[in-house]
């Protein structure tokens, strides 16, 4: 599966952005989808993941209650709605795909998009 992330940009603290990740192929609805991010000088970290049918989700603690992951299997797209953004959310955001169960480890994901930059000013 090939992944294409989009929707990043520049926003002031407290604002919102919605990231999208479009996937190629006919088997999108068999993949667990995840979002990761990498801030300058830091390791890539898990942000959120969603099961193949959207019935289960997982979030890292720092975004719980502010970010929402969702998917539209008819459109082969996964979304990350980001509200109440903070300067520490500034990072390149990557979408990723794997089969099996929801996972939070970067090493568990087999397919990666190219990343989209989110910059949050204070």
């Amino acid at each position: 599966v090939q992944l294409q992330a989009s929707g990043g940009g520049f926003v002031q603290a407290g604002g919102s952005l919605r990231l999208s990740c479009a996937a190629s192929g006919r088997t999108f609805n068999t993949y667990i989808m995840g979002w990761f991010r990498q801030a300058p000088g830091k390791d890539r970290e898990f942000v959120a993941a969603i099961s193949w049918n959207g019935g289960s989700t997982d979030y890292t603690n720092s975004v719980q209650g502010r970010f929402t992951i969702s998917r539209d299997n008819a459109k082969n797209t996964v979304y990350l709605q980001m509200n109440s953004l903070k300067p520490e959310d500034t990072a390149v955001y990557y979408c990723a795909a794997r089969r099996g169960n929801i996972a939070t480890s970067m090493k568990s994901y087999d397919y990666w998009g190219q990343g989209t930059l989110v910059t949050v000013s204070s």
Side-chain angles (χ1 to χ4, degrees):
V1 61
Q2 292 183 323
L3 305 174
Q4 180 78 30
S6 62
F10 183 92
V11 63
Q12 292 187 334
S16 298
L17 280 175
R18 188 177 80 156
L19 306 183
S20 299
C21 176
S24 64
R26 301 179 181 178
T27 59
F28 174 75
N29 61 1
T30 66
Y31 286 92
I32 302 295
M33 298 300 298
W35 285 98
F36 290 76
R37 67 185 179 186
Q38 188 166 17
K42 295 188 177 181
D43 294 334
R44 194 171 300 187
E45 66 172 356
F46 170 77
V47 176
I50 189 167
S51 60
W52 67 272
N53 63 353
S56 296
T57 58
D58 194 12
Y59 298 91
T60 192
N61 287 342
S62 62
V63 308
Q64 186 79 41
R66 299 188 298 122
F67 291 11
T68 301
I69 189 171
S70 62
R71 66 189 298 160
D72 185 338
N73 287 341
K75 295 182 178 180
N76 279 15
T77 302
V78 62
Y79 305 98
L80 186 68
Q81 177 67 44
M82 306 186 294
N83 299 329
S84 302
L85 282 161
K86 304 176 181 180
E88 51 264 42
D89 295 318
T90 295
V92 177
Y93 283 72
Y94 299 88
C95 58
R98 72 181 300 271
R99 286 211 164 105
N101 298 320
I102 284 180
T104 61
S105 169
M106 190 176 69
K107 296 179 180 179
S108 298
Y109 287 79
D110 301 307
Y111 304 97
W112 291 84
Q114 86 290 0
T116 185
L117 176 63
V118 172
T119 304
V120 184
S121 68
S122 58

